[in-house]
């Protein structure tokens, strides 16, 4: 699939000299006006920019990360993680209790995600309704928006011939012990199973935002600028977004660049993600004390299984099978489910909890290992024990498992161990830091001991690729930071439209839900142009 022609209009550093001449920019500072400024170009910002532009709004979208074309997507893990991911792929909490993966490029995390396309089950959306006033968000009620997103992204079930050996461990082992493995839906057109989704799809099969909503926005007049970080929002009838140039550390910047932007607009849409979004609002002095609070991360932990035959977990579509049996523990709506992870050597070696020769011995046999992951819907004890704060000039993330979330993680690890052994694994590598080497296993191994393991910080490795909910939406400001229209309480015409707005743990990979929720919200906002942009 070719690159959309409208992407040629994305203002990258190489095009700054031309933009300076065209827009008569002086002293490296670009001052411009718009109807709306969108901050961030991922699943939320791209959709919002497209919808507003389609309805005639003058839109400026800024993105901190760079714009990459498929020719720049390669299998160099170090370079790809450094350029495509925030904090080079390792957003680490202050006490090193969790490591979070998040995209940082035009397209955001949609550029590097693993394609899994899901919408939350009804017990999640029912909780949104009962506790926070979110009405009309069941899968059935949201079908027009979800279906539109599915069509735009090419969402379909993974064909059986592309279910790789890594995912087949879940299918084979799950069936053997009486569980119900299901085939997942992915978002692509023409996937051939290269398995490089996490490094950017080199053939444009994965329908990321930079191939869909971003060119849609540009086609309808939006200005899209990469390598510009929003550092502050000034409130007022006319808002001002101040942004600074953020060069790519791995590419020499041109001699002439736009150093900063000051964009004035009556409407601002923050789509900077659940980590940077609250930090931006906090350093701007905007919002109530729910901003940055109750961060949900979909905490995840890994078991590696060694098999007699080669698995090559990195080949094929990353995620094609899911086991949901443990997700609704005792009817609470909270629990865990199991997916596969296509770790490449760099990430895998960081997750193997050994050192020295033992770690090297594992990595020498890397192609014989599978990787299964447990994903826990966090928030079973109420508010999650995680947050984001802007303090002493930098963004800080805090995280700790709550008691029930920790127990659900252990339950998931027990089930995952049983599934992996049932599929034929002979050794397991657990995420518990007390282990010094892989554990040999067979069909008779009992894993009840896992339920007694410690999940205190430092005792078990926990990661995340789904940060959300740190600027949660609710019916009133005693329960959230933004209202049901996703407008920031106390600040007219400042909206948050991304995965930050979910009031509870989402339970699923967030891309489809975020696009669908933002499509609905931005479409409603787009109809209010005259009212919202009148100064």
């Amino acid at each position: 699939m070719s690159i959309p022609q409208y992407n040629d209009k994305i203002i990258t550093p190489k095009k700054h000299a031309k933009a300076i001449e065209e827009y008569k920019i002086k002293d490296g500072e670009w001052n411009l006006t718009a109807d709306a400024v969108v901050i961030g170009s991922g699943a939320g910002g791209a959709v919002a920019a497209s919808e507003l532009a389609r309805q005639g709004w003058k839109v400026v979208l800024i993105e901190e990360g760079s714009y990459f074309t498929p020719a720049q997507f390669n299998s160099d893990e170090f370079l790809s993680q450094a350029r495509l991911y925030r904090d080079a792929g390792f957003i680490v909490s202050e006490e090193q209790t969790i490591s979070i993966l998040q995209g940082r490029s035009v397209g955001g995390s949609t550029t590097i995600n693993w394609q899994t396309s899901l919408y939350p089950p009804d017990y999640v959306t029912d909780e949104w309704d009962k506790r926070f006033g979110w009405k009309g968000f069941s899968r059935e009620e949201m079908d027009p928006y979800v279906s539109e997103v599915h069509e735009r992204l090419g969402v379909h079930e993974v064909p059986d011939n592309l279910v790789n050996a890594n995912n087949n461990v879940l299918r084979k082992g799950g069936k053997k012990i009486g569980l119900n493995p299901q085939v997942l839906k992915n978002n692509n057109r023409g996937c051939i199973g290269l398995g490089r989704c996490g490094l950017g799809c080199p053939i444009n099969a994965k329908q990321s935002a930079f191939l869909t909503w971003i060119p849609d926005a540009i086609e309808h007049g939006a200005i899209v600028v990469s390598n510009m970080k929003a550092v502050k929002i000034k409130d007022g009838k006319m808002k001002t977004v101040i942004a600074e140039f953020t060069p790519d550390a791995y590419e020499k910047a041109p001699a002439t660049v736009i150093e900063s932007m000051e964009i004035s607009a009556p409407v601002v849409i923050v789509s900077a993600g659940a980590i940077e979004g609250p930090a931006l609002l906090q350093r701007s002095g905007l919002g109530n004390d729910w901003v940055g609070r109750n961060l949900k991360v979909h905490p995840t932990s890994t078991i590696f299984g060694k098999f007699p035959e080669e698995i090559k977990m990195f080949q094929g579509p990353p995620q094609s099978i899911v086991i949901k049996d443990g997700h609704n523990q005792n009817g609470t709506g909270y629990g865990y489910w199991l997916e596969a992870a296509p770790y490449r050597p760099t990430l895998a070696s960081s997750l193997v909890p050994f050192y020295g020769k033992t770690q090297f011995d594992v990595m020498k046999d890397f192609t014989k290992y599978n990787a299964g992951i447990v994903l826990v819907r966090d928030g079973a004890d109420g508010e999650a024990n995680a947050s984001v704060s802007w303090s002493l000039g930098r963004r800080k993330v805090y995280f700790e498992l709550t008691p029930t979330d920790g127990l659900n993680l252990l339950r998931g690890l027990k089930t995952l161990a049983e599934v992996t052994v049932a599929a034929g694994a002979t050794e397991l590598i657990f995420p518990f830091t007390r282990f010094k080497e892989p554990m040999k296993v067979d069909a008779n191994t009992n894993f009840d001991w896992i339920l007694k393991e410690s999940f205190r910080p430092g005792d078990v490795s926990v990661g995340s690729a789904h940060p959300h909910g740190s600027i949660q939406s609710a019916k009133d400001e005693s329960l959230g930071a933004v209202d049901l229209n996703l407008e920031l309480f106390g600040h007219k015409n400042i909206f948050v439209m991304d995965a930050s707005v979910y009031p509870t743990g989402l339970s699923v990979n967030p891309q489809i839900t975020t696009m669908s929720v933002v499509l609905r919200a931005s479409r409603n906002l787009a109809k209010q142009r005259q009212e919202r942009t009148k100064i």
Side-chain angles (χ1 to χ4, degrees), residues 112-390:
I112 48 83
N113 71 20
W114 296 343
Q115 296 195 58
T116 302
S117 300
L118 297 162
Y119 191 83
D122 284 349
Y123 52 75
V124 173
T125 56
D126 286 347
E127 185 178 359
W128 292 353
D129 182 355
K130 292 173 184 175
R131 291 181 58 195
F132 300 96
W134 278 49
K135 297 190 179 301
F137 284 90
S138 70
R139 176 62 179 84
E140 182 179 2
E141 292 168 296
M142 283 290 288
D143 185 68
Y145 303 101
V146 177
S147 294
E148 184 173 339
V149 169
H150 280 186
E151 174 59 31
R152 190 71 184 89
L153 300 186
V155 173
H156 60 275
E157 282 194 357
V158 178
D160 195 64
N161 67 300
L162 288 180
V163 175
N164 65 5
N166 195 34
N167 282 269
N168 200 49
V169 168
L170 294 182
R171 181 157 63 179
K172 179 181 176 182
K175 286 181 177 179
K176 196 167 182 179
I177 65 172
L179 300 178
N180 300 282
Q182 300 174 32
V183 177
L184 283 167
K185 293 181 178 180
N186 283 183
N187 64 288
N188 65 72
R189 298 184 190 278
C191 175
I192 59 174
L194 294 177
R196 284 165 51 180
C197 301
L199 307 179
C201 179
I203 62 171
N204 276 352
K206 180 170 62 174
Q207 298 298 285
S208 305
F210 79 88
L211 295 175
T212 52
W213 311 104
I214 294 292
D216 289 353
I218 297 172
E219 180 182 2
H220 291 90
I223 295 173
V224 176
V225 186
S226 71
N227 300 90
M228 279 289 168
K229 179 176 181 175
V231 294
K232 191 173 184 179
I233 303 168
K234 295 181 179 180
D235 198 6
K237 287 186 177 180
M238 198 72 165
K239 323 314 183 180
T240 302
V241 174
I242 301 172
E244 295 178 350
F245 177 57
T246 54
D248 186 325
Y250 290 83
E251 186 169 303
K252 186 178 180 180
T256 302
V257 297
I258 301 167
E259 296 285 353
S260 64
M261 295 179 72
E262 284 201 11
I263 313 160
S264 299
V267 175
V268 173
I269 297 175
V270 178
S271 302
I275 303 295
E276 293 299 322
L280 170 61
L281 292 176
Q282 288 172 6
R283 64 176 175 261
S284 301
L286 302 174
N288 62 24
D289 64 2
W290 278 102
V291 173
R293 183 171 148 191
N294 200 21
L295 169 70
K296 279 77 74 176
V297 297
H298 214 182
T300 303
S301 204
T302 302
I303 292 177
F304 294 97
K306 185 178 182 181
F307 287 78
E309 69 278 7
E310 287 200 324
I311 298 294
K312 294 184 178 179
M313 68 175 86
F314 48 85
Q315 291 186 345
Q319 294 183 322
S320 52
I321 300 294
V322 63
I323 297 177
K324 302 179 180 180
D325 297 66
H327 203 242
N328 189 5
Q329 294 285 312
N330 302 315
T332 62
Y334 288 84
Y336 65 88
W337 65 21
L338 310 180
E339 292 178 348
Y343 299 131
R344 287 175 173 266
T346 300
L347 192 52
S349 61
S350 73
L351 294 171
V352 172
F354 310 137
Y355 300 93
K357 183 178 183 301
T358 307
Q359 185 189 41
F360 282 112
D361 287 343
V362 168
M363 295 309 297
K364 281 192 297 185
D365 287 333
F366 172 70
T367 58
K368 292 187 176 181
Y369 280 93
N370 92 300
I373 54 175
V374 178
L375 299 99
V376 175
R377 184 189 175 206
D378 39 352
D381 295 303
E383 188 173 336
N385 190 9
S387 61
V388 178
S389 69
W390 179 260

